[in-house]
Amino acid sequence: MTPRKPTTNSSPNESTKKSKFSRSRRSSNSKRPRQQTTTSKKMQHRTSTQSHRDSEKETIPEIKDGVRIIPLGGVEEVGRNMTVIETDEDIVIVDAGFQFVTEESPGVDYILPNTRYLEERKHKIRALLITHGHLDHIGGIPFIIDRIGNPPIYTGELTSIMIKKRAAEFVGVEHDVRVLNPDVPLTLGKLKIRMFPVTHSIPDSTGVIIETKYGNVVLSGDLKLAHNDGVPTAEEQKNFGNVGKGNNLILIADSTNAERSGFSIPEQRVFDTLEDIIKNTKGRLMIGTFASQFERMMRIIEISESLGKKIVTEGRSIKTNLEIAEMAGRLKAKKGTLIPIQEMENYPPDKIVILVTGAQGEKFAALMRIATGQHKFIKMTKRDTIVLSSSVIPGNEVSVQKLKDNLYRHAGKIVHYRTSDVHSTGHGNSGELVWINQQVGAKFFMPAYGYYSMTRSHADAVIESGFPEKNVVVADNGTIIDIIKGEEMIVQKATAPAGPMMVDGFSIGDIQDVVIRDRKSLAQDGMFVVIATINLKTGKLRKSPDIISRGFVYLRESQDLLQQTRLLIKKSVEESTEGMHPINFDLVKDNITDTVSAYLFQKTNKHPIVIPVLLGV
């Protein structure tokens, strides 16, 4: 059964018939050219320029006497992470996330990994393994789990609660979620599964070890290192030392911060900075952060409680995640520490700490409503201190700047990651990633979880550390990597279907290019509707055609353009219908579209979607 989204927004999904002129114009702009990148001749790499249709031309051979690895998402973008591990008899899947949409997919809600390869091999799927609870790793589960045969889901305790909580938002969706004991290996078919703890911005983050008879496939999940001035802690050395004792065939590792050198800021430094701010702030304190930063939010609550301060939470995602932390026994705040926002005025301002969502400048998030004076309960004053405990996600620069501008107009003091150590990434820099690679000691290596520049930077850093270049593969979505008998790595010429699936209202699947192109065209140039009434006997217009313009020109200020367009429409209709019995309305519509599209482009340099509506009387 196809799960229903919690929202009921519907999006247009029908395309109107285009003229030859408008079709050729839009098809030429349908895809932006992919930037070309230089790769080493020795490094095995499959470019992303081959389309989903091209992959279908090649027959995919079945894996024999080896291990197959296919990233179905997450190696050409940040998000929609899904990796397939396959042997002769078994398949396990690691993660099933979604990607938030961009300007390239207007009207689409989420972008999912393509599951067609798995749908054709349901009988081999033993389980879905989840490394941690961020949406780029769990968000796709309700949309795709039925497509791949509803396999059991294995993960950590907190992550299992997050998966169940999210499933509850969908109609008729239930998951078989099982908590995996990290100390007890799990047997799935002829595979053995173990998980090991890693440091990330959310509790219960794990890496995965899949034991095959040819060696172990190790997937890091998202991770960084806990360290002291570049020296990993004893616990990190112990955990990765244990991983390195195995017969490790290949390491697949997080690349999100691989373009940054050295070691990342340790989270403990962020905790120390926030504690100092909470302790010394004289007025009211508001802290904006990601709702997914469980550890940070729990530490803020713990510090505030120790100082006798009250916590107000504002934002649905923060409230939900703190509720999940309580359910998992991770958050143990005393009664009265967390207070309703309506009780905030009962306490002095310097006894109030507000945890709030919206540090990325989202238009309707709590922090933006506070910054613009639209919040019902919170009004900023010059005594307020605002801490933005998050970095700027690429693409959000403009919205974050607007947020900061509004905050600076009303608040007394603004603290952010560029002025103080109030945020640390959840992903390791290249120095950490190289150390992890050396500890695991696998024979082969594949960077994952990031854009191509990130995975390539990760590969370069590992190679520069002395890892054999011939044993590194920089994959694209759908790349099929076979390791035969634990000795030889082969990148297949054929690729698995990797064109993204999209959630569009209640529809889940491939969205046709023409639909996306129409939406982009409507957003950029608008629409131009022509309504004409034709005498079925004479082929003449009964009256001057009506014209509706949306997003193209302002009709009241474009009377000359409209008058000339009406004359062209009249001429086009009457020339098309001359001697035509009965009237071919499709042909007349095409001719109107061609004529009007060309004329409007000539006069305005714009390409609105022209929609002729003909009525026969």
Side-chain angles (χ1 to χ4, degrees), residues 212-446:
T212 79
K213 64 181 179 181
Y214 306 105
N216 302 337
V217 178
V218 182
L219 298 97
S220 74
D222 285 352
L223 83 171
K224 62 184 292 186
L225 287 177
H227 65 90
N228 297 308
D229 296 325
V231 178
T233 63
E235 185 174 3
E236 296 280 23
Q237 294 186 40
K238 176 184 175 183
N239 289 338
F240 281 100
N242 289 336
V243 174
K245 292 177 182 177
N247 175 26
N248 298 326
L249 182 63
I250 184 169
L251 169 65
I252 302 170
D254 179 16
S255 305
T256 306
N257 262 1
E259 294 174 289
R260 299 181 183 179
S261 61
F263 280 59
S264 61
I265 297 174
E267 190 71 11
Q268 184 59 49
R269 192 185 305 174
V270 176
F271 294 158
D272 294 341
T273 303
L274 289 172
E275 181 173 4
D276 185 64
I277 291 172
I278 295 170
K279 186 182 297 183
N280 295 306
T281 297
K282 301 303 180 185
R284 186 172 57 178
L285 176 62
M286 299 182 209
I287 303 177
T289 189
F290 298 120
S292 60
Q293 293 276 2
F294 276 75
E295 296 281 7
R296 193 172 303 172
M297 291 192 298
M298 290 189 293
R299 186 62 67 92
I300 289 169
I301 293 171
E302 179 184 316
I303 294 167
S304 300
E305 185 177 79
S306 70
L307 296 171
K309 299 196 176 191
K310 303 297 181 181
I311 292 287
V312 173
T313 58
E314 184 59 8
R316 179 174 176 269
S317 55
I318 279 182
K319 293 175 190 246
T320 298
N321 284 356
L322 288 179
E323 181 184 339
I324 290 171
E326 283 187 297
M327 292 170 63
R330 302 300 181 106
L331 176 62
K332 300 177 180 178
K334 295 178 182 176
K335 186 177 181 180
T337 297
L338 295 163
I339 63 171
I341 194 169
Q342 294 88 344
E343 297 181 11
M344 185 172 57
E345 297 301 322
N346 298 336
Y347 300 90
D350 60 356
K351 292 296 183 181
I352 295 294
V353 177
I354 303 173
L355 264 176
V356 63
T357 58
Q360 293 301 301
E362 300 95 323
K363 184 176 180 181
F364 299 108
L367 193 54
M368 182 60 89
R369 287 187 284 118
I370 294 170
T372 55
Q374 298 175 6
H375 197 279
K376 183 177 180 180
F377 296 104
I378 303 174
K379 305 297 178 185
M380 281 194 301
T381 72
K382 291 296 182 182
R383 290 195 63 205
D384 291 336
T385 296
I386 312 293
V387 175
L388 300 179
S389 184
S390 63
S391 58
V392 181
I393 295 175
N396 291 347
E397 292 84 0
V398 173
S399 58
V400 172
Q401 187 60 48
K402 288 180 180 178
L403 172 66
K404 288 166 61 178
D405 288 346
N406 281 308
L407 292 173
Y408 271 102
R409 289 181 186 277
H410 304 290
K413 184 178 181 181
I414 311 294
V415 182
H416 53 83
Y417 77 103
R418 292 190 182 278
T419 62
S420 182
D421 290 334
V422 292
H423 177 68
S424 175
T425 177
H427 306 270
N429 290 7
S430 63
E432 297 160 77
L433 301 177
V434 167
W435 184 89
I436 290 168
N437 183 280
Q438 292 171 339
Q439 294 299 305
V440 173
K443 184 172 185 177
F444 300 101
F445 172 64
M446 187 188 95

Side-chain angles (χ1 to χ4, degrees), residues 21 25 29 524-526 552-553 561 596-608:
F21 176 86
R25 189 249 328 156
N29 295 327
Q524 293 167 2
D525 295 327
F552 171 53
V553 293
L561 177 69
V596 173
S597 294
Y599 177 71
L600 295 179
F601 177 73
Q602 177 186 351
K603 292 297 183 181
T604 66
N605 200 34
K606 289 182 177 294
H607 286 296

Side-chain angles (χ1 to χ4, degrees), residues 447-589:
Y449 312 149
Y451 291 104
Y452 180 78
S453 64
M454 299 171 182
T455 57
R456 180 59 193 271
S457 296
H458 193 174
D460 289 344
V462 167
I463 291 167
E464 288 171 8
S465 73
F467 196 91
E469 187 173 352
K470 63 183 178 64
N471 289 354
V472 176
V473 57
V474 180
D476 289 321
N477 294 330
T479 300
I480 298 175
I481 303 137
D482 290 344
I483 304 176
I484 306 302
K485 295 182 179 179
E487 297 295 332
E488 181 185 9
M489 180 165 63
I490 298 173
V491 178
Q492 296 289 350
K493 185 177 180 181
T495 61
M501 296 196 309
M502 301 186 186
V503 180
D504 186 21
F506 289 149
S507 173
I508 302 172
D510 297 333
I511 303 296
Q512 294 183 357
D513 287 345
V514 68
V515 176
I516 298 299
R517 290 201 303 271
D518 282 352
R519 291 179 183 178
K520 290 180 182 178
S521 182
L522 285 168
Q524 293 167 2
D525 295 327
M527 63 187 294
F528 194 86
V529 181
V530 176
I531 304 173
T533 304
I534 300 176
N535 188 313
L536 294 176
K537 294 181 179 180
T538 65
K540 307 289 186 182
L541 290 182
R542 294 292 298 266
K543 63 175 184 175
S544 180
D546 294 323
I547 291 174
I548 300 172
S549 171
R550 292 291 183 269
F552 171 53
V553 293
Y554 185 45
L555 295 182
R556 291 184 181 179
E557 296 180 357
S558 307
Q559 292 303 311
D560 289 343
L561 177 69
L562 296 181
Q563 184 60 31
Q564 291 301 316
T565 304
R566 287 189 174 97
L567 293 174
L568 283 174
I569 294 168
K570 182 176 184 295
K571 181 181 178 182
S572 176
V573 169
E574 294 181 352
E575 287 181 352
S576 299
T577 59
E578 185 177 0
M580 183 184 289
H581 297 288
I583 294 174
N584 185 334
F585 279 86
D586 287 339
L587 178 61
V588 177
K589 285 180 181 180

Side-chain angles (χ1 to χ4, degrees), residues 22-36:
S22 58
R23 280 199 301 268
S24 62
R25 189 249 328 156
R26 276 186 274 277
S27 64
S28 64
N29 295 327
S30 63
K31 292 186 179 179
R32 294 189 302 179
R34 181 181 175 91
Q35 182 179 354
Q36 297 298 309

